[in-house]
Amino acid sequence: GQSLEQPSEVTAVEGAIVQINCTYQTSGFYGLSWYQQHDGGAPTFLSYNALDGLEETGRFSSFLSRSDSYGYLLLQELQMKDSASYFCAVRVYSTLTFGKGTMLLVSP
Amino acid sequence: DTAVSQTPKYLVTQMGNDKSIKCEQNLGHDTMYWYKQDSKKFLKIMFSYNNKELIINETVPNRFSPKSPDKAHLNLHINSLELGDSAVYFCASSRSSGQGVHEQYFGPGTRLTVT
């Protein structure tokens, strides 16, 4: 089976930088995805890492280390609208297994 | 313009009833999924389906069954509803399971309440 660990909650202030970590245990690993979900909304895709290293998309970056079974999502220049839950998900062949999510609270 | 749509958005029903949730995607994807999100926000895959294979999460009770009339639709039928079935159900789609499964597009969700 698969297991993922991420912090349950992270708090930060507007303009700050926050990092959400994800460690995983799985067999047949293909890559690590990140999704954002606002309260009452649907999960939306943010990024995907199949190879080691950093992927940057605007204010968001995602990192993967396959040897450490570890990844993180980095959010820069935080805005109030970034308050949401963030899920890491491992791709194992044809399905995704999601972590339990990290609730990010951004305060003024 | 909606990419993945689900109906109904809210569903309130009594224990023992049978209900269906419909899902449609207009993205041209050939793989669709059903997820259950419980009150603790844990997002759990229930089914993955394309025109070649159905992958069932072994923990899903057989009261739940997906039915796909065509590539753009994947409906969820639930028989003999139980209190524990109360959750938000999300439909999602992606490009073929081998190439695009990491980037899934989710519908708005159906909040099911069983009383």
Side-chain angles (χ1 to χ4, degrees), chain A residues 27-78:
Chain A
S27 55
F29 176 80
Y30 280 72
L32 187 69
S33 294
W34 288 93
Y35 284 76
Q36 178 192 61
Q37 184 180 27
H38 286 99
D39 198 31
T44 56
F45 172 78
L46 291 177
S47 67
Y48 176 67
N49 296 69
L51 303 174
D52 286 358
L54 191 68
E55 295 278 345
E56 298 182 64
T57 309
R59 295 186 298 114
F60 294 1
S61 303
S62 57
F63 172 83
L64 176 66
S65 168
R66 295 174 70 109
S67 60
D68 295 323
S69 298
Y70 163 76
Y72 65 73
L73 180 69
L74 190 73
L75 299 87
Q76 303 182 73
E77 300 173 16
L78 280 172

Side-chain angles (χ1 to χ4, degrees), chain A residues 9-10 12 15 17-18 21 25-26 36-37 41 55 57 63 69 77-78 82 85 87 99 103 105-106 108:
Chain A
E9 188 174 303
V10 173
I17 299 172
V18 72
N21 298 320
Q25 287 187 316
T26 184
Q36 178 192 61
Q37 184 180 27
E55 295 278 345
T57 309
F63 172 83
S69 298
E77 300 173 16
L78 280 172
D82 297 328
S85 291
F87 295 86
M103 185 177 295
L105 302 171
V106 181

